[in-house]
Amino acid sequence: MSISQSTILPLPAFSSDETVHEASRLEHALAEVSKAIAPVWPLQDYVAVNPYAGIADKTFVDAREFLQVFSDCETLMPVAYYAGEYRAGRLGLSDIQAALEELAAVGGATPLTASQIVQTLEGLDTNRMQLEPPTAALKHPRAIRTIAEYATVPRGMDWTEAIVEEVSKHCSAHYDQGQATWSSPHANLPLYQAWRMVAAGDYNIEILGLSGFRKYVDGLPYTPEASIVQSLHLLGVPQSLWSTFLLCQAFSVRGWSAWMKYKTNWQDAASAEKNDLVGLLAIRLAYDAALAQAKAVSVDWESLLENDAPAMNVSQPAQTGDSRVRHVLLRASEIAYRNQLLNSLSMKTPIPTQANARKLAQMVFCIDVRSERIRRQLESQSKDIETFGFAGFFGMTFEFAPLGQTNGNAQLPVLLKPQYKIHEGLHADSESLHEIATIAKRQQIRSWRAFWKSFKASAVGCFSFVETAGLFFAVPLLRRATGYPQQSSGAQHDGLKKSNHSELGPTLRGLAKQGLTTSRQTDMAERMLRNLGLTTNFAQLVAFCGHGCQTDNNPLAASLDCGACGGHSGEPNARFAALLLNQPYIRHALAERGIDIPADTHFIGALHNTTTDRIEFFDVSDVPLRLHAALQELQASCAIASKRTQTERMPIVSSDSRSALLKRAHDWSEVRPEWGLAGNAAFIVAPRALTQDANLDARSFLHNYDHTQDTDGQVLETIMTAPMIVANWINMQYYASTVDNKNFGSGNKTIHNVVGGFGILSGNGGDLTTGLPWQSLHTGQHYQHLPMRLQVVIAAPREMIERVIAKHEIVANLLKGSWLHIIAINGQRPYRYLPTGGWEDLESAPHP
């Protein structure tokens, strides 16, 4: 490859046949780019996304080689990290040897022996391990780069940074959701057309040295597709490299590409019609083409074709010695954890299908790893409490519209679509004067709040406001600065007195108008109970316990909420599930279908606050008088379990007291209010008896499952194609954010700035960030999240698991590509599913 300063040749003329072929080639290239980009959701709906989801049809190794053809993305931790793991005792010689043998069996041979790798680890100084993200300044030689990279010279203008700033400026203004005082006049247009209108008169990039840019924009075609073709021709990029070069362009603004992917593929039909991902590519490529023209930069593309370096479909692993060792060490760390996990499980204990004695209470928690601690403490506190693990949306696939609103949030995993809408209301009828007055008062409060915010930001108020009203905010500022809780209860209770907060909740109103008949409502209830495995032996109280976080001044707060509820609290789902199952007509219909719920069983909604580990129960006034004593006993047990869980968590959040831990929930300066799902490493699908005696250290997603009640395998299929995929997305988001925080994370949380009300910039500019901040992964001294691929443990016959794998390509690809690992507990023996198919008996591994 060579780069030279030369004159750009005029565009060649093409025949109609060539134009048709060219259009087909462009369509293919754009599809390749779109497939490789993972979306990012807006802050209010922040969802854990697997950034590798679009390339999961490749193997884990091939995906790394693919990414490094056109980007600086990294998928492996440095050797120094594993040296620290080895010194800490979380990784040993036998694990490395097992990893070498395992990888050699699938063609991943490494020239070094286990002993030589250990010698390398022992020779590294772990005391000097960097405290910053491992790839913050790391770049590797790669085949394809942007023209901006080629044009940047030492001690000269950084054209990559300048162009990213320009792209980010335009995108931020175009998608602003009310944060800016002045909105873009072209926001109704597709991104590319809006940019053309603005950029043609924008002198900024020309002042920086890109002469002739406005003239180049004036000459661009009206459609983004035609613009892309024109720029590619001007740069002389061969059609065989279009896909790769456009991927390089997209990954140079990976955050905004992810946002466009969300807008185009996940938001709505109008956004899909605009197809702003193609528009973004046209914009980014235009800067490169104009730069090549202004600076007379050309690339010898033919040399790239001769060397076959930028091949899109990597078929042979091209790992270097260093990357092979790092891959071995990744697998060794996973094997070490797998053995530890299997050792802790009660595989030799007969697994009961049903409990004999009736329990005081059954509590259904989300499968979220943070539920493991509170469940363990609850069960140890009282033998009369039984806990279950289930997806946190409780099988309720709805959009939740708050009181006074016609639309709201989708309370379910993003892989699913809402099937109906649940309206929030007061316990009284919707026509009651109380509810009407509440809505009116709520609207008034919010109107004044919007006016006040607008006044503070206005040219008239921004200076005089501080001078005249500053002292009135002294007390609230002091309270927030010292970490004391605020008096406000949150906008969700606008218009209500504190004594009336309990009256607000989901209702059954309007379901019939949406076609949700009593029969369909019964279908939902039955499906939930059967998937949960709770069809007999109901306790007196059955609590559906959603979860949510409590944090202040945290734009990424939704990342600490329920991943199974679209980045929202699971409270509406838990309360609606309980409300549904308390209806007499649902009980009667379920009895006809073989699920007989005792008349004295009552369902109740609850919420596990994962920041404070407190459990709050809702609609307690609806609990029958005969169950008040049982409810008080359950609440007392939950209070004790909460305190024990808080005490257990104190060391990992560096709190010297429970009060200091609780203070984090309302401290606006706290960058680590809680650890979220950091540490997640396993997804266990089994009866609770398998894990009940184990301390899993909040690293495992726990989903209740009894294969003896699932004769047709439908429940297992649902779990492996929905909750397991969600857990994989969460696991991969944490993995990628840790391994390559620069490209897949969001950097330093202390310099985050909200842009447009929907995203995060690191500092005052640059690309949109997509993943987790460094403070959510690292304590400042060591890693809180230990990056490894998900270990899925399923207590079921291997044939049942194989049927699901054979039926669903997405599951088969994850296993074939080693994006996750499955261990079957079959006949009280563990078996590992091989990437090549079939099973390996792990009985020789240490276990009880």
Side-chain angles (χ1 to χ4, degrees), residues 423-597:
H423 293 274
E424 186 181 43
L426 301 178
H427 285 186
D429 294 334
S430 59
E431 289 77 22
S432 72
L433 294 177
H434 181 31
E435 182 159 298
I436 294 171
T438 299
I439 293 173
K441 188 175 182 181
R442 168 172 289 202
Q443 292 171 341
Q444 184 182 47
I445 290 172
R446 291 178 177 177
S447 294
W448 274 106
R449 187 180 294 142
F451 167 77
W452 188 243
K453 180 180 179 181
S454 176
F455 169 73
K456 289 190 293 182
S458 69
V460 175
C462 62
F463 295 108
S464 58
F465 174 78
V466 175
E467 297 288 342
T468 58
L471 289 177
F472 291 100
F473 288 84
V475 173
L477 283 171
L478 182 62
R479 292 180 66 90
R480 296 187 73 181
T482 53
Y484 284 95
Q486 303 301 295
Q487 300 299 320
S488 173
S489 59
Q492 71 271 25
H493 292 124
D494 282 347
L496 276 174
K497 295 179 181 179
K498 190 172 182 179
S499 58
N500 298 129
H501 286 182
S502 61
E503 297 179 14
L504 192 66
T507 69
L508 298 175
R509 299 169 195 163
L511 293 184
K513 293 180 181 179
Q514 300 177 61
L516 210 64
T517 62
T518 55
S519 178
R520 289 187 61 195
Q521 292 176 38
T522 306
D523 291 341
M524 288 192 305
E526 180 186 11
R527 185 166 52 248
M528 177 186 64
L529 292 174
R530 293 197 185 281
N531 288 346
L532 175 59
L534 181 58
T535 56
T536 59
N537 292 333
F538 290 90
Q540 297 177 64
L541 286 170
V542 180
F544 294 107
C545 191
H547 67 90
C549 77
Q550 181 184 347
T551 179
D552 192 15
N553 190 32
N554 185 1
L556 288 172
S559 68
L560 300 176
D561 276 327
C562 186
C565 298
H568 303 289
S569 161
E571 177 191 330
N573 304 72
R575 296 178 71 177
F576 178 73
L579 178 64
L580 192 66
L581 285 166
N582 281 330
Q583 302 308 307
Y585 64 88
I586 295 290
R587 299 277 191 99
H588 178 74
L590 286 173
E592 292 180 343
R593 301 184 187 191
I595 301 178
D596 192 4
I597 302 173

Side-chain angles (χ1 to χ4, degrees), residues 485 548-552 560-561 609-612 662 664-666 673-674:
C549 77
Q550 181 184 347
T551 179
D552 192 15
L560 300 176
D561 276 327
N609 184 327
T610 55
T611 314
T612 65
L662 297 174
R664 291 171 173 268
H666 36 76
E674 60 161 286

Side-chain angles (χ1 to χ4, degrees), residues 246-292:
L246 288 177
L247 272 167
C248 185
Q249 297 288 317
F251 272 68
S252 71
V253 281
R254 206 194 71 82
W256 286 113
S257 296
W259 176 250
M260 305 309 164
K261 178 66 176 285
Y262 163 74
K263 299 287 287 185
T264 302
N265 288 48
W266 291 85
Q267 192 173 38
D268 52 41
S271 297
E273 181 68 24
K274 291 180 179 179
N275 199 355
D276 282 349
L277 179 56
V278 175
L280 177 69
L281 288 171
I283 293 168
R284 179 62 187 84
L285 193 56
Y287 282 100
D288 257 16
L291 183 63

Side-chain angles (χ1 to χ4, degrees), residues 118-197:
V118 166
Q119 288 176 4
T120 300
L121 298 179
E122 290 176 338
L124 291 175
D125 183 4
T126 57
N127 292 325
R128 299 186 62 185
M129 284 186 65
Q130 54 194 352
L131 301 182
E132 295 297 319
T135 57
L138 184 64
K139 288 190 176 183
H140 64 272
R142 53 183 163 89
I144 297 293
R145 294 188 180 275
T146 63
I147 300 303
E149 290 178 282
Y150 289 140
T152 298
V153 296
R155 294 184 296 279
M157 168 66 70
D158 186 334
W159 286 110
T160 297
E161 181 180 338
I163 290 173
V164 170
E165 289 288 346
E166 288 296 301
V167 172
S168 193
K169 175 182 71 177
H170 286 287
C171 291
S172 300
H174 186 72
Y175 293 108
D176 182 78
Q177 296 179 355
Q179 182 178 357
T181 303
W182 292 340
S183 60
S184 168
H186 311 298
N188 61 315
L189 296 174
L191 175 67
Y192 173 74
Q193 279 80 19
W195 169 82
R196 275 183 79 242
M197 298 187 73

Side-chain angles (χ1 to χ4, degrees), residues 61-82:
V61 170
D62 285 353
R64 180 177 186 269
E65 304 305 321
F66 171 76
L67 288 170
Q68 296 202 340
V69 168
F70 53 80
S71 75
D72 290 326
C73 295
E74 181 55 83
T75 64
L76 294 170
M77 290 293 281
V79 176
Y81 163 77
Y82 292 106

Side-chain angles (χ1 to χ4, degrees), residues 642-759:
S642 293
K643 290 179 180 178
R644 290 179 177 177
T645 306
Q646 292 161 3
T647 302
E648 183 180 333
R649 282 203 306 123
M650 278 167 45
I652 69 168
V653 291
S654 301
S655 294
D656 54 8
S657 65
R658 286 179 44 251
S659 61
L661 181 145
L662 297 174
K663 206 178 206 182
R664 291 171 173 268
H666 36 76
D667 183 351
W668 69 346
S669 65
E670 181 54 65
V671 294
R672 299 180 180 92
E674 60 161 286
W675 280 114
L677 293 97
N680 73 85
F683 178 61
I684 302 177
V685 184
R688 178 57 171 154
L690 188 75
T691 57
Q692 196 158 19
D693 296 329
N695 180 347
L696 299 175
D697 198 26
R699 300 190 66 187
S700 297
F701 301 93
L702 299 179
H703 199 303
N704 270 71
Y705 175 70
D706 185 350
H707 73 85
T708 63
Q709 298 185 48
D710 183 30
T711 54
D712 60 1
Q714 288 297 311
V715 174
L716 180 61
E717 182 178 357
T718 299
I719 293 172
M720 290 181 65
T721 55
M724 187 181 81
I725 302 299
V726 171
N728 170 253
W729 275 31
I730 294 170
N731 174 260
M732 283 288 103
Q733 185 196 48
Y734 273 82
Y735 180 94
S737 296
T738 306
V739 170
D740 187 357
N741 196 266
K742 180 178 184 294
N743 288 296
F744 296 118
S746 60
N748 189 335
K749 192 175 185 179
T750 62
I751 58 172
H752 280 180
N753 278 305
V754 175
V755 56
F758 62 85

Side-chain angles (χ1 to χ4, degrees), residues 572-634:
N573 304 72
R575 296 178 71 177
F576 178 73
L579 178 64
L580 192 66
L581 285 166
N582 281 330
Q583 302 308 307
Y585 64 88
I586 295 290
R587 299 277 191 99
H588 178 74
L590 286 173
E592 292 180 343
R593 301 184 187 191
I595 301 178
D596 192 4
I597 302 173
D600 63 347
T601 292
H602 185 81
F603 294 85
I604 188 170
L607 184 74
H608 171 208
N609 184 327
T610 55
T611 314
T612 65
D613 273 314
R614 287 171 172 162
I615 294 177
E616 179 183 2
F617 291 88
F618 301 101
D619 308 310
V620 293
S621 60
D622 295 336
V623 176
L625 183 62
R626 67 179 182 277
L627 291 177
H628 280 193
L631 177 61
Q632 290 174 359
E633 186 177 344
L634 175 60

